[in-house]
Amino acid sequence: MKNNIIILGGGQAGIYAAREIRQNDTKSNIKILGEENLLPYERPPLSKDFLLDKKKEEDLYFHSSDVLKNENIEFENISINKVDFENKKLFAKNDNVYSYDSLLISTGSENKKLTLDNNLKNDIYYLRNLEEAKKIKEIVSNKNKITIIGGGFIGLEIASSLSQLQKKVIVIEIGNQLMGRIIPKQIADLVQNTHIEYGNEIILNKQIEKITKKNGDYEILLNDNSLIETDFIIAGIGSTPTVKLFENTNLKLDNGIVTNQFCETSIKDVYAAGDVSNFYHPFYERNMRLESYQHAQNHGICAGKNIAGVKTEYTSIPWMWSDQFNLNLQLTGICDEYDEIIERGNDINNGVIYFFLKNNKIRGACGVGIIGKVGRDIRITSKLTEKDTIVDKQILSDQNIKLNKLIQK
Amino acid sequence: MSEENWIEVGSTDSIEEEDLIRFDHQDKTFCVYKLTDGFYATDGICTHEAVHLEDGLVMDDEIECPMHQGIFNIKSGEALSPPACEDLKTYPVKVDNDKIFIKID
């Protein structure tokens, strides 16, 4: 049967869903509605290789327009401002109306903004999309002392890139460690040491009291009355799911759009995937919302299968990475539910991994090392987690024994 | 192709089964694998970002990049899983007197 399938949101989850639907359904119309006038592109390089000029805009696109054309996937740059779930219609700002049989919402997430009592809104920069990355890249070329508010992944990746561009960088973090939302303190401390070795200043446990503009530069007053002078400010203080469009509808929302393990929302024929979805994970038996490359991709693919009628549970063990300086940090699974921690290695040059176990089974792991040094073990850990079996702790803790031993048949 | 394009990599017991070694020759890096049915060779650098595949995971006939989990078929070089989308170059391998040789063009 030929259906109209609309994908609202032109990011990674959307494009992977579209291509997966097409693999399973050659007849239906598939249309992606994107707010940016750009084909879906990779965001991870924006804070790293794009700022460093190692990747250009044309390197970022997932697929060329030819691929979409060949697979008969339409992409339209349009902003939707109203949804009528009952009549299965989307309304655009320019009065266009789009009817759907199945809808995938993949609107992603958006940056939280600093609340400032003076009119400095346009002076603080954020990085999520290509346009913002371009602006930052252009402006920092004339700046020297840059302050980053927020010591999470995005802030630290920018800090790493700007340091490599010979800028003086200060990172201010409100918490008592970097990347505190999901990264264990042991790993965060190793990353912090590297930033300091490369000359970045890291300030923890401090809140911003006030930012004042002075002769084109800025003064940041912290809650211990210390003052930071800076000529450019970037904030990376977390994100929220992009759900404003659905706030006055009967779509069930709770830290994003609530979905089950099949990417189905509370409304029939409406699916959600990627950053915007607070999904049920059958392995961890709880709901979670993830903001990562692997999740956007795999959740999009899973939604695509379900929309095309191939009933598929989403069971991916979470995985994410961050690249800072010459370090590659990786996390798999969930590191906040454990009764035992096992350490593997103690030298960042060979990689350091912390495994988080519950009832002698791995729930998650987080590692950091010089590029290439933790990836294999983290990947094996994902497989071990998925297997849900009791692991040999001696092998986990001994870097001289390859973890491959634990998964070989 | 002439015989001298066969370059000696090392002895057959230098690689464990379902594993790989890195081999550098002139300014290029290769990976040489021992799978259950023999030896194989590919370029040593991931086609997605410049990272050595020597630290990657070999599972069945696949090599997975340690940085971003792009997956390639070791025998054909085919990119199987994003973010990798460009195939990996493969090279002929032969074993002679317990020594592994790869043919570099």
Side-chain angles (χ1 to χ4, degrees):
Chain A
M1 198 179 77
K2 188 174 170 175
N3 279 317
N4 276 328
I5 299 168
I6 290 193
I7 295 171
L8 182 58
Q12 187 173 11
I15 184 68
Y16 275 97
R19 295 197 68 197
E20 189 62 30
I21 295 167
R22 183 55 82 218
Q23 288 235 325
N24 295 284
D25 171 355
T26 52
K27 293 199 181 82
S28 292
N29 298 317
I30 304 173
K31 184 179 259 189
I32 301 174
L33 305 177
E35 285 219 331
E36 285 178 79
N37 193 16
L38 297 165
L39 289 178
Y41 60 90
E42 296 197 53
R43 292 178 198 275
L46 294 180
S47 54
K48 302 177 281 275
D49 283 358
F50 184 77
L51 285 184
L52 292 170
D53 233 359
K54 290 182 187 168
K55 278 198 174 174
K56 309 275 182 213
E57 179 175 339
E58 57 269 26
D59 301 324
L60 304 181
Y61 295 102
F62 285 108
H63 307 290
S64 66
S65 52
D66 287 349
V67 171
L68 299 192
K69 206 174 158 189
N70 288 342
E71 297 185 10
N72 196 15
I73 295 167
E74 274 186 83
F75 178 87
E76 191 174 331
N77 169 222
I78 193 90
S79 189
I80 296 296
N81 64 354
K82 198 183 150 203
V83 181
D84 176 354
F85 288 119
E86 204 171 321
N87 295 300
K88 295 188 157 185
K89 287 185 194 316
L90 306 177
F91 300 88
K93 280 182 185 157
N94 66 358
D95 293 337
N96 279 3
V97 181
Y98 301 85
S99 295
Y100 64 82
D101 297 300
S102 297
L103 173 69
L104 172 65
I105 301 168
S106 53
T107 45
S109 54
E110 56 203 57
N111 290 325
K112 285 184 187 165
K113 300 285 167 77
L114 285 174
T115 43
L116 298 164
D117 52 8
N118 48 9
N119 194 21
L120 284 175
K121 264 189 194 158
N122 296 328
D123 291 63
I124 314 288
Y125 285 76
Y126 299 85
L127 175 53
R128 175 162 298 270
N129 59 40
L130 184 59
E131 196 187 327
E132 290 165 335
K134 280 182 182 170
K135 257 192 222 160
I136 288 174
K137 192 171 167 179
E138 186 192 326
I139 297 171
V140 292
S141 63
N142 301 313
K143 304 290 181 188
N144 296 307
K145 193 175 177 192
I146 296 157
T147 299
I148 292 167
I149 299 173
F153 285 113
I154 189 78
L156 293 173
E157 289 179 357
I158 297 170
S160 155
S161 297
L162 296 182
S163 166
Q164 291 172 68
L165 294 170
Q166 316 308 323
K167 309 294 178 188
K168 167 72 189 154
V169 182
I170 301 164
V171 178
I172 303 169
E173 164 58 38
I174 193 170
N176 65 358
Q177 67 161 90
L178 296 175
M179 305 173 286
R181 195 158 60 94
I182 50 170
I183 298 297
K185 188 171 187 316
Q186 300 92 322
I187 297 285
D189 289 347
L190 293 172
V191 174
Q192 181 176 335
N193 292 343
T194 299
H195 276 264
I196 291 167
E197 278 166 25
Y198 279 93
N200 286 351
E201 187 179 344
I202 307 282
I203 300 172
L204 298 176
N205 289 313
K206 295 288 183 295
Q207 280 191 48
I208 311 272
E209 288 290 330
K210 197 176 178 189
I211 301 176
T212 318
K213 201 167 182 173
K214 251 189 182 171
N215 306 322
D217 292 342
Y218 305 92
E219 275 184 359
I220 302 174
L221 177 68
L222 301 180
N223 59 337
D224 62 349
N225 283 326
S226 58
L227 208 56
I228 290 166
E229 290 179 353
T230 191
D231 55 12
F232 191 60
I233 302 172
I234 303 170
I237 53 169
S239 61
T240 53
T242 303
V243 293
K244 200 163 190 301
L245 194 55
F246 318 110
E247 273 167 359
N248 294 314
T249 69
N250 54 357
L251 185 66
K252 192 177 175 194
L253 303 176
D254 176 15
N255 180 30
I257 299 169
V258 178
T259 58
N260 63 13
Q261 63 268 48
F262 304 106
C263 307
E264 295 164 333
T265 69
S266 59
I267 297 176
K268 192 174 178 298
D269 300 325
V270 178
Y271 300 77
D275 288 17
V276 77
S277 152
N278 183 2
F279 65 98
Y280 180 75
H281 197 301
F283 180 82
Y284 290 100
E285 296 177 328
R286 71 187 216 196
N287 270 67
M288 56 178 79
R289 195 174 73 77
L290 299 173
E291 298 159 5
S292 81
Y293 185 96
Q294 173 240 26
H295 174 64
Q297 173 187 300
N298 293 348
H299 209 212
I301 290 171
C302 183
K305 283 191 196 320
N306 285 300
I307 290 168
V310 184
K311 195 95 173 166
T312 308
E313 267 196 330
Y314 186 69
T315 55
S316 273
I317 299 295
W319 172 70
M320 58 173 305
W321 84 83
S322 173
D323 300 327
Q324 299 169 35
F325 295 104
N326 57 346
L327 298 181
N328 174 238
L329 179 156
Q330 297 197 11
L331 178 137
T332 178
I334 300 294
C335 298
D336 62 1
E337 279 179 5
Y338 59 90
D339 52 30
E340 189 176 1
I341 301 177
I342 292 177
E343 183 182 352
R344 180 178 175 85
N346 52 25
D347 178 358
I348 207 160
N349 291 302
N350 298 321
V352 178
I353 296 179
Y354 288 85
F355 299 96
F356 296 83
L357 281 72
K358 196 173 177 185
N359 301 326
N360 302 309
K361 295 174 181 174
I362 298 176
R363 302 294 283 176
C366 183
V368 68
I370 300 299
I371 282 171
K373 291 301 167 198
V374 297
R376 172 163 46 199
D377 286 349
I378 290 288
R379 184 66 183 116
I380 292 170
T381 306
S382 302
K383 290 177 183 289
L384 288 171
T385 307
E386 219 164 20
K387 277 187 170 179
D388 202 25
T389 50
I390 291 173
V391 286
D392 184 333
K393 294 176 197 169
Q394 176 63 32
I395 295 181
L396 285 186
S397 64
D398 186 350
Q399 215 167 24
N400 295 315
I401 308 175
K402 282 190 174 181
L403 284 192
N404 302 37
K405 304 276 176 229
L406 293 172
I407 49 167
Q408 274 163 2
K409 299 142 247 174
Chain B
M1 293 221 186
S2 63
E3 274 301 304
E4 61 248 25
N5 284 337
W6 286 103
I7 311 290
E8 186 181 332
V9 172
S11 67
T12 50
D13 58 10
S14 61
I15 318 177
E16 289 178 45
E17 192 161 304
E18 281 227 332
D19 208 351
L20 80 167
I21 54 165
R22 170 177 163 180
F23 173 65
D24 292 341
H25 179 67
Q26 292 171 345
D27 57 349
K28 283 206 73 178
T29 292
F30 305 89
C31 282
V32 182
Y33 310 81
K34 185 177 187 177
L35 303 182
T36 48
D37 62 352
F39 294 90
Y40 297 87
T42 68
D43 267 339
I45 305 279
C46 182
T47 59
H48 174 240
E49 278 185 25
V51 61
H52 285 281
L53 291 171
E54 66 167 322
D55 295 312
L57 176 64
V58 178
M59 284 284 283
D60 302 321
D61 291 349
E62 296 166 7
I63 170 73
E64 187 170 296
C65 174
M67 201 162 171
H68 302 138
Q69 295 188 358
I71 299 175
F72 302 90
N73 181 295
I74 292 167
K75 295 177 178 176
S76 66
E78 188 188 352
L80 298 173
S81 173
C85 52
E86 194 183 319
D87 292 349
L88 197 62
K89 195 167 163 38
T90 58
Y91 300 88
V93 182
K94 70 173 183 183
V95 174
D96 194 0
N97 276 333
D98 295 331
K99 290 199 174 359
I100 308 165
F101 296 83
I102 64 172
K103 189 165 194 162
I104 300 167
D105 41 37

